[in-house]
Structures are given as C-alpha cells and as structure tokens.
Amino acid sequence: MADNRFRQVVVDYCEKMVEPAPAGWPVRKLLNQLERYYSAYMLIGQYYGWRNHGASVPNLSRLQAISGQSPRQTASFCATLEARNLVFSDTLASDRRQKVLRPADSLIREVGRSCAAFVEAYDVIAGSALAPPIERDAGLLGEMIHFSATRVRGSGTVIALYPRVLALSGYDCGYPMLVTLILAHYRRRSGKVMFALTHGALAERFQVSESHIGNVLGHLRQAGALVPRRGPEDGIVVEDLVDEFERWCAAEMAHYADLARVCLPQRAPLA
C-alpha cells in the first residue's frame, strides 16, 4: 500500500469490475451475491481438488456440505447453473452411480474475474508476470481457486476481516455497488468525468429495483459509511470506508499472488 502506484491499481481494478456485463442471460447478476458466489467458488475448488489432487468426488452432496447455502438452495443453484451450461453433471467412469459436478470454463472465468484482476494489480506493483497465463487458461484459474478454497476452509475468508465490505457483499449486487461508489470517490477526487449515482441509474446498471438500491444505500448510511445526503446523489462514501476497501484490495492482491505462484512455480518470476 505504500507504493505510489497502489491507488492507481485499485482504480484500475474498480474500472474492470464495473464494466458492463456481457449480453445474454445475467450470469454476473446471479453471482453478484456472496452466498451464491461462495457456492460457485467451492464448486470450482472441489472439482480441481478432485481432478488434480486426489480429493473426493465433486458431487452435489459434497458441495452441499461446504457451499454455505442450505442443501435445498445448493441443489436449486446447481440446477440453474446446469440449465445454462455453466455446470455439467458427468458420470464417473469408475462408478456410474456417481455424478461429477464439472464447472464450465465460462463459469470459472466469471467467478475468477476479480481474482485474476487482483493478480494483475499485484503484477503492476511487483513487476511480476503472474496474471497473463492465469487469464489465458481457465484450468489454471480453476486451480488457483482450488488453492484459495482450501485455504479459506482451513483459516477463514479474507473478506471476514473487512466487515463493511463483507456486509455489502451479502446484498444482491452489493459488492459491485460498493466498487462503483469507491470508483466514484476516486473520480470525484481526481476531477474525472462522473457517472450518475441516482437510484434509477444504479438500478439500471445492476439490474435490480430502485427500492433495493435504496436498501443498500440505507445500510451504508446507518453504518456511517456515506456522507449526509446531497440532493439526488447520496452515494458519496466516507474516507474510512475507502481505507477499508483499499486494505481489502491489498489483502486480496497478496492472497492471490501467493496462490498464483503455487500454480506457476516455473512460469512466472517471484517478486
């Protein structure tokens, strides 16, 4: 964080994360809520644990035990992913009664979008080249997610140390909303062109209702994370929240850079 390039890489991370979602079925909206994202993360992690490291068969019952959702919610979530060809249920060759949950590359890339962006941010500061092979190869990204999921299950999530980031991520599209508000803070401070922060504009951006936007901003106001309301725009964050977000970014950069090195011991220089 002491590096003079740190804040700019955080800005660049925010810009990447608020890019418009791809056209078609709203997979990004589905995953922009912590419980669903965590379930998909663990699904990918258990698949690569089995494929590359001899872990147990990655079936639905095993995922239900670690997904963070109820068994019924997990089954419904997997069915939704399967219906959209984001997850495949393969028959295990050695035991045809077993069904392997295999994530599609498109799911891995969407779930790993933030992870890869944090590695790219780290590369800028450290002068390393960890991100390019992981961004090119969904299998390497899935392997990195496996190592992360294993670490999370052993020692807890990184996000737990950042309570307001964690709380916002629990809302539907809460994390990208937070990123947007942080980016607006940076743009306002640097005098760059701003984007609309009205309830209607945010609702359209994230494909949620205006009342939902109001609920999320209301939570931030109650937590003292927004400055007093200023006319039609009430999404101005306080410096304390910006500081927490920057510390979160630094922790994620370190977390994923460390895991990227494990995935790429001979293919990227150590910083």
Side-chain angles (χ1 to χ4, degrees), residues 1 15-16 28-29 46 52 71 105 121 124 130 160 173-174 181 200 241 251 261 265 267:
M1 291 182 69
E15 294 280 6
K16 287 186 180 70
R28 188 164 296 174
K29 183 178 184 298
Q46 74 169 18
N52 296 343
D105 285 359
V124 172
L130 299 165
C173 295
L181 296 176
L241 178 57
R261 291 192 187 99
R267 298 166 63 175

Side-chain angles (χ1 to χ4, degrees), residues 155-167 244-245 247-248 251-252:
S155 56
T157 61
V158 177
I159 201 171
L161 299 175
Y162 305 94
R164 283 175 292 190
V165 178
L166 174 62
E244 181 178 317
F245 184 81
R247 287 186 287 110
W248 148 256
E252 285 285 89

Side-chain angles (χ1 to χ4, degrees), residues 117-138:
F118 277 128
V119 178
E120 186 176 344
Y122 176 89
D123 279 344
V124 172
I125 292 177
S128 52
L130 299 165
I134 287 172
E135 290 172 332
R136 288 193 300 267
D137 187 341

